[in-house]
Amino acid sequence: NAGVTQTPKFQVLKTGQSMTLQCAQDMNHEYMSWYRQDPGMGLRLIHYSVGAGITDQGEVPNGYNVSRSTTEDFPLRLLSAAPSQTSVYFCASSPRWYKGYEQYFGPGTRLTVT
Amino acid sequence: DQQVKQNSPSLSVQEGRISILNCDYTNSMFDYFLWYKKYPAEGPTFLISISSIKDKNEDGRFTVFLNKSAKHLSLHIVPSQPGDSAVYFCAASSGGGADGLTFGKGTHLIIQP
């Protein structure tokens, strides 16, 4: 198993550009989520999904869109990039949506918006 | 307002000694707590968890203690090893768990030889 994979590893965008961060897992996990980590901060939840076709907002959803058309993939779209979205983005998955199951994190995407 | 607080940004411990990392929380609805370990340029990896119905959970060198009345948990690592040098995040969840984890800011543990 590759686990949770994220592409790209690094990305530089100009303000106003859009892009999609890719996340995939090959563990048939039900639950997937996106977090961002800013310097000196913990991870903050952006969006999550409890199964294919179902998504919901986390703590900091503004400026981001998600969809979950398959169990494996959970892309994060930046609609119009802003410097405040400069961050490290982590995708995570878990076997089930309810707690008690650990979340497996991908290696992260480092995004810089100029 | 931060709901999960790790008040020590860094901690230095000698190899072989005990490392104690602390975490406080304010939300009384939190009932499941986890510790994650993170190396630079990698994603966090799960270390150990504890449910609010317990006050202690052990896994090898790692023990987590929960004091619900004080809204405090701690992670003990005994004995500390060089590979334990990393950033440790405390995280908490409430309710069904679907709405993810609330993380602290992390503590950078440095194990001195």
Side-chain angles (χ1 to χ4, degrees):
Chain A
N1 284 353
V4 180
T5 56
Q6 292 183 239
T7 55
K9 281 191 173 5
F10 302 95
Q11 183 70 48
V12 179
L13 288 179
K14 289 189 180 350
T15 297
Q17 287 184 315
S18 62
M19 81 158 294
T20 300
L21 307 186
Q22 301 292 345
C23 174
Q25 52 91 8
D26 61 357
M27 299 174 282
N28 200 31
H29 282 177
E30 189 174 272
Y31 181 87
M32 296 186 75
S33 56
W34 276 101
Y35 290 85
R36 60 178 286 175
Q37 185 190 14
D38 300 304
M41 300 285 287
L43 283 73
R44 291 181 294 167
L45 182 67
I46 305 171
H47 284 285
Y48 64 93
S49 168
V50 299
I54 307 168
T55 64
D56 208 342
Q57 296 180 352
E59 180 187 353
V60 288
N62 292 342
Y64 307 96
N65 265 359
V66 292
S67 60
R68 183 106 178 263
S69 55
T70 67
T71 300
E72 294 78 21
D73 299 297
F74 192 43
L76 178 72
R77 293 183 197 85
L78 279 69
L79 309 170
S80 176
S84 61
Q85 294 179 303
T86 294
S87 190
V88 181
Y89 291 84
F90 292 101
C91 179
S93 74
S94 182
R96 297 290 180 264
W97 63 264
Y98 38 91
K99 60 175 172 267
Y101 290 88
E102 69 171 275
Q103 294 202 36
Y104 297 79
F105 283 83
T109 294
R110 185 174 292 274
L111 175 68
T112 302
V113 183
T114 62
Chain B
D1 186 31
Q2 251 202 310
Q3 299 186 69
V4 177
K5 298 177 187 177
Q6 294 178 257
N7 291 321
S8 300
S10 68
L11 175 68
S12 184
V13 174
Q14 247 187 329
E15 182 179 353
R17 307 294 273 268
I18 183 171
S19 295
I20 300 176
L21 294 94
N22 293 304
C23 178
D24 297 294
Y25 62 96
T26 57
N27 187 341
S28 56
M29 299 301 290
F30 287 145
D31 57 4
Y32 191 69
F33 305 89
L34 308 91
W35 285 93
Y36 279 82
K37 175 179 179 179
K38 185 181 179 305
Y39 294 119
E42 293 184 12
T45 55
F46 170 76
L47 207 51
I48 193 168
S49 63
I50 187 165
S51 163
S52 60
I53 62 172
K54 295 186 171 182
D55 54 19
K56 178 182 173 183
N57 189 27
E58 273 182 276
D59 184 1
R61 295 187 298 116
F62 303 93
T63 303
V64 56
F65 295 92
L66 175 63
N67 182 334
K68 287 193 295 292
S69 60
K71 293 193 178 71
H72 176 83
L73 62 154
S74 60
L75 174 69
H76 293 211
I77 306 173
V78 184
S80 300
Q81 298 175 353
D84 296 331
S85 293
V87 177
Y88 289 77
F89 289 100
C90 173
S93 73
S94 62
D99 49 354
L101 301 172
T102 301
F103 283 83
K105 292 185 178 182
T107 296
H108 185 195
L109 176 65
I110 302 159
I111 305 301
Q112 306 275 11

